[in-house]
Amino acid sequence: MREVLRSDRPAAHGGLGVTVVVLIVIASSSGLGWTLIVAASFTAWFVLAPAVIRLGGGRGGDAVRRAYIATFGWANWI
């Protein structure tokens, strides 16, 4: 099960790319308000994740890398 759920940095780059495209689509169809709400949600998750990882024993750069993968690594499943 761990192998199925494992993500890596290239998948996170893909997830970030998909997120940017989705934000552009939302901005063009729904306006700035919804775009800011979705972008703020991703930002909040990305800011919260390193704090949680650091509490679990992660260190500086490693915590940021793991937070990036946790935030955008879902691209493996699309």
Side-chain angles (χ1 to χ4, degrees):
M1 188 64 165
R2 277 188 145 180
E3 288 297 321
V4 172
L5 296 176
R6 185 164 293 181
S7 293
D8 53 1
R9 200 175 305 182
H13 294 329
L16 177 61
V18 170
T19 302
V20 169
V21 170
V22 167
L23 287 172
I24 291 169
V25 169
I26 291 172
S28 65
S29 65
S30 297
L32 187 60
W34 282 108
T35 305
L36 290 176
I37 290 170
V38 173
S41 299
F42 276 100
T43 303
W45 178 263
F46 185 73
V47 168
L48 182 64
V52 171
I53 292 169
R54 297 226 39 204
L55 287 174
R59 296 184 186 224
D62 183 49
V64 172
R65 181 186 60 81
R66 289 171 49 192
Y68 178 67
I69 292 171
T71 304
F72 298 109
W74 47 263
N76 274 345
W77 299 287
I78 57 171

